[in-house]
Amino acid sequence: MTKNRILSHLDELEYESIYVIREVAAQFERPVLLFSGGKDSIIMTHLAMKAFWPAKLPFPLLHIDTGHNFIETMVYRDNMVKKLGASLIVGSVQESINNGRVVEERGPMASRNLLQTTTLLDTLEKYKFDAAMGGGRRDEEKARAKERFFSHRDEFGQWDPKNQRPELWNIFNGRKNQGEHFRVFPISNWTEMDVWQYILKENIELPEIYFTHQREVFNRDGVWLAKAPFMTLKDGETFEVKTVRCRTIGDISCTGLTLSEANSLEEIIAEIAATRVTERGGRADDMRSEAAMEDRKKEGYF
Amino acid sequence: MSEFSTNGYLDMELLRFTTAGSVDDGKSTLIGRLLYDSKSIFEDQLEAVKRASIRRGNEHIDLALLTDGLRAEREQGITIDVAYRYFATPKRKFIIADTPGHIQYTRNMVTGASTANAAIILIDARNGLTEQTRRHSYIASLLRIPHVIICINKMDLMDFSEQRFNEIKADFIDFAGVIQLVDYTFVPISALLGDNVVDASVNMPWYDGGTLRHVLETLEIGNDNNLVDPRFPVQYVIRPLSDEFHDYRGYAGRVAGGIFKPGDEVVVLPSMLKTRIKSIDRYNGPCEEAWAPMSVTFTLDDDIDISRGDMLAKADNLPIATQDVDMMMCWMSEQPMQLNGKYAIKHTTRDVRCVIKSVNYKVNVSTLEHIHDGSNVGLNDIASVSIRTTKPLFVDSYSKNRRTGSLIIIDEATNRTVGVGMVL
C-alpha cells in the first residue's frame, strides 16, 4: 500500500474481479463456478474464496469432465475441493456419449472438446444454474476480446455477439427471463502475464504439469501432444520422451505441450516474457478455422 | 520483453484508455504500432493476420484484423463493437477500449469511455478539427475522462510542419474551452512511420514533448478516483454461520469514494442510523484504511439492519438522497425512449424503478447545439432528461464521482440495457 493511494495493477485487477464475483452471488439465485483444473479456473477459485472470506463459497464448483484428463489435474482438483470445503459437481462427457446425447468423433484428430458443450448445457439445465462463472480472458482469443463480463445466453444457451448488452462503468445487468442464463467472466481484464504474476504474488499452488517434467509425446503439425490410451498415431508419427510443461490445460487430446525446463514460477514468468507465440497457439481446437472460437461460443461453449 | 524483471513487474500501475476513430484516421495503424512495438502482438497472431490479409487481396498487412474479432466485422471490414486490447511497457500495464468512431456508434464510444482514465483523440493533420474530432472530444468531456491526449497524425503528409501543428493546437484549445475539457495534451505523430509513437521523431526536432508512449506512461492517475467524499454501497452481506465465526456479520462492497478507517463514525442510508466501523477485513488480513476502488468487508460496532443497496457515508458528507434525478442520458436501444414510460434502474448496488418525466433538450453531438424538438430520443441520442424513481437513490453529481453519479436504464420487458445516465 502506497501513501499516494495508487493501487498496483494486480491489486486493481483483484478488486475488480472480487466485485464481479460478489455481484454474481448477489444478483443470481443459483450461480456456479466452472472449474477445469487449469490455472485460470484455479485463480478464479482463489478470488472467490477471498471474496466471501470468512464464509465459505456460496456456490458449488462444476467440472465438465471429458474423461481425457491429465491425472495430475484430477488429484489437484480433489485436494482443493477438500481444502476449501466446497461442493463439487461433475458433468461427464462419457455419460453424454453413453446416453446418446452426443456421438464421439472418430479418427486420429478426434477430440471430446466440442462434445463438452452439450454436457455443459445439460448440466446447467439439470441443476437449474442461472449463472456460470468461467476463467475466460479477453486477451486469449479475438472473439473473446468482445465478450462482456456478464454475457447473456438465450434459452438454448447461445451467445449472440452482434446483439450484446452494453456494459458501462461497473454496473452489471444480470436480468433475464425464465430458462435463460448468464456466463460471467470475472477475470476478463487479466492477461496471461497477470495470471502468472498473481500466482507468484499469492503463492498459489498449481498442478505439477505446469512445471517441467519428462513425458512421452508425439509431434502433430508442429504441436507436441501427450501419449494417452485414446490418442492414436497417424503415419509417420512416433512417441518420444521430451522435457515439457503445460502452458494451458485443456483435455489431453487438444493440449499442446511446450518444450521447457522451467521449474519455478519465476522461470515460467521469464519464459512467457520471452515467448513470441500466444498460449492458445498450441490449442488444436482453435486452429480449425479463423472463427473457430466464435462459432463454438455461439453454440454455448465456455 | 526481456527488459522486464520479475520483481519490479509485480507492482505496476494500470491505465485504461479509450480510442475512437475509423480506419481512415490511422487508428488501427496507431494501435497496431503501440502493440507491435511493445511486443504485445505474437507471431501466431501476426501470421494469422498476414494469411487473412492475403486472402482478402490486401496489399499491406491489415492490422485492423487483429482487433476486429467477430466474423461479421472481418467480412464487412468494420468495427461494430468495443474491443479490449492489452499491452504492457516496463512502466505500466494498459487496457485499451477500442471503439468505432462514426456517429452511429456513439453508444460504443460512450461505453468505451465509461471506464477510461484517458482518451486518445486522433486528428488528421491535413484536415484539422472535423465534426468527428468535436464529437469524440465532447464524449470524452461528457463521460469525464480525466485525461485527453490529442494525437495530430499524418504529420509526414504535412512535411512535419510546426506551423500546421500549432494551428490545429490553437483551434483545439478554443474548442476545449467550450466543452470544459481541462486536462489535455498534444502529440504530433506519424502512426504509419512511427514518429513520436514509441520513438522520438527525428523529423520534428521543434517538438520538445514526450512520445505518445511516454505520455501514456507518465500521466498522473493518482487523483482519478474520488478520495474526498466517503461512499460505500453495500454489495453483499457475509454471514459465515460457522463455529469459528459464529456471530460474524460483514458488509462486503467496493469503496465508491473517499477513505474509510476503523473507528470512523458512519451513517447508513436510507435508515440514517449511525454506527462505527469496527474493522475493515480482507482474506490477507485487516486494512488500516480503504479507498476507492478497493473491494473490502466492513464489520460495524452496532447490530443494525443493513442490506444490499444501502450506502455507508459520513454525517458531515452525505450523498443526495432523492427520487427526482436530472441527468445527461445516452440512449442505446433501437427502440426509442418512451416519455412517461417506466423503466428499471441500476445505480451502484441499488435497484429501483423510474418514470421518464421530461426531456429538457437533446444535444447535436457534432455541433453541440441544443435541440428542443419535443421528446423523441432514439438510438445514439444524448439528451438532458428528468426522471422520478420509486425509491430514493443516493447520488452525487457525475462530475464529482463517476461511481455514484452513473446509472443504467433497463427495459423491463426485454431486460436489455437501453440507456445510461450521468447525474447532473
Side-chain angles (χ1 to χ4, degrees), chain A residues 5 8-9 15-16 19 22-23 50 146 165 169 173 189 194 197 273 276 278 290 294-295, chain B residues 1 9 12 16 41 43-44 55 71 73 86 93 114 235 282 284 289 295 308 415 417:
Chain A
R5 300 198 177 86
S8 75
H9 71 296
Y15 290 134
E16 176 178 85
Y19 177 79
R22 286 171 171 171
E23 211 47 28
K50 292 181 88 163
K146 311 233 156 158
R165 294 180 183 178
W169 300 291
N173 175 2
N189 276 333
D194 299 328
Q197 289 170 339
R276 302 301 306 136
T278 62
E290 199 181 345
E294 182 182 344
D295 292 342
Chain B
M1 286 217 265
Y9 201 48
M12 291 173 32
R16 301 171 200 247
I41 295 175
E43 278 170 12
D44 54 325
R55 202 167 53 241
R71 188 197 294 271
E73 292 177 318
Y86 303 81
K93 178 199 151 79
S114 72
Q235 190 184 8
R282 286 181 311 173
N284 298 55
E289 54 178 37
S295 287
R308 175 175 166 86
N415 292 321
T417 303

Side-chain angles (χ1 to χ4, degrees), chain A residues 32-48:
Chain A
V32 68
L33 175 58
L34 299 174
F35 184 83
S36 69
K39 65 181 188 314
D40 297 325
S41 67
I42 289 169
I43 72 155
M44 273 294 305
T45 313
H46 183 81
L47 289 162

Side-chain angles (χ1 to χ4, degrees), chain A residues 28-81:
Chain A
F28 295 93
E29 277 171 35
R30 297 178 70 87
V32 68
L33 175 58
L34 299 174
F35 184 83
S36 69
K39 65 181 188 314
D40 297 325
S41 67
I42 289 169
I43 72 155
M44 273 294 305
T45 313
H46 183 81
L47 289 162
M49 176 197 70
K50 292 181 88 163
F52 301 103
W53 182 89
K56 285 182 181 165
L57 299 190
F59 38 72
L61 306 182
L62 170 60
H63 180 214
I64 298 303
D65 180 4
T66 62
H68 292 170
N69 300 293
F70 291 97
I71 293 163
E72 295 89 337
T73 314
M74 304 304 279
V75 172
Y76 179 91
R77 180 195 78 184
D78 294 339
N79 283 339
M80 195 203 66
V81 166

Side-chain angles (χ1 to χ4, degrees), chain A residues 188-218:
Chain A
S188 286
N189 276 333
W190 298 53
T191 63
E192 184 189 15
M193 183 59 103
D194 299 328
V195 170
W196 284 107
Q197 289 170 339
Y198 187 72
I199 289 167
L200 176 67
K201 177 175 164 272
E202 296 281 301
N203 196 18
I204 298 170
E205 193 192 334
L206 288 183
E208 289 163 17
I209 41 174
Y210 275 114
F211 302 96
T212 186
H213 59 282
Q214 303 262 311
R215 183 180 288 273
E216 270 194 277
V217 293
F218 63 99

Side-chain angles (χ1 to χ4, degrees), chain A residues 35-252:
Chain A
F35 184 83
S36 69
K39 65 181 188 314
D40 297 325
S41 67
I42 289 169
I43 72 155
M44 273 294 305
T45 313
H46 183 81
L47 289 162
M49 176 197 70
K50 292 181 88 163
F52 301 103
W53 182 89
K56 285 182 181 165
L57 299 190
F59 38 72
L61 306 182
L62 170 60
H63 180 214
I64 298 303
D65 180 4
T66 62
H68 292 170
N69 300 293
F70 291 97
I71 293 163
E72 295 89 337
T73 314
M74 304 304 279
V75 172
Y76 179 91
R77 180 195 78 184
D78 294 339
N79 283 339
M80 195 203 66
V81 166
K82 214 155 114 196
K83 228 191 287 180
L84 285 178
S87 70
L88 173 74
I89 294 165
V90 178
S92 160
V93 174
Q94 185 63 54
E95 225 166 81
S96 300
I97 294 169
N98 296 347
N99 296 338
R101 294 282 297 136
V102 291
V103 179
E104 182 119 56
E105 292 182 8
R106 309 226 165 260
M109 297 300 282
S111 162
R112 288 182 168 182
N113 188 54
L114 265 180
L115 311 187
Q116 291 181 93
T117 302
T118 302
T119 310
L120 171 63
L121 293 175
D122 286 354
T123 313
L124 294 179
E125 201 170 311
K126 180 177 166 191
Y127 291 91
K128 299 197 165 31
F129 290 126
D130 55 1
M133 282 177 276
R137 306 191 324 265
R138 287 172 178 157
D139 83 320
E140 271 182 90
E141 210 280 337
K142 55 188 180 295
R144 294 206 177 194
K146 311 233 156 158
E147 183 66 271
R148 304 293 189 258
F149 277 91
F150 272 43
S151 184
H152 179 258
R153 301 301 151 108
D154 67 12
E155 64 267 49
F156 301 103
Q158 298 179 110
W159 182 51
D160 184 0
K162 278 195 283 183
N163 206 14
Q164 299 191 77
R165 294 180 183 178
E167 203 164 75
L168 288 91
W169 300 291
N170 293 289
I171 310 177
F172 299 106
N173 175 2
R175 290 174 61 121
K176 58 180 171 20
N177 290 319
Q178 199 70 32
E180 301 173 346
H181 76 274
F182 272 78
R183 299 292 173 82
V184 182
F185 303 100
I187 60 166
S188 286
N189 276 333
W190 298 53
T191 63
E192 184 189 15
M193 183 59 103
D194 299 328
V195 170
W196 284 107
Q197 289 170 339
Y198 187 72
I199 289 167
L200 176 67
K201 177 175 164 272
E202 296 281 301
N203 196 18
I204 298 170
E205 193 192 334
L206 288 183
E208 289 163 17
I209 41 174
Y210 275 114
F211 302 96
T212 186
H213 59 282
Q214 303 262 311
R215 183 180 288 273
E216 270 194 277
V217 293
F218 63 99
N219 194 302
R220 176 169 295 164
D221 305 326
V223 178
W224 293 100
L225 294 168
K227 180 182 178 180
F230 44 85
M231 299 286 274
T232 44
L233 293 182
K234 290 199 283 190
D235 283 350
E237 294 174 346
T238 51
F239 292 120
E240 48 195 308
V241 176
K242 291 276 178 192
T243 304
V244 294
R245 65 173 202 88
C246 288
R247 197 170 158 199
T248 162
I249 297 179
D251 96 358
I252 293 186

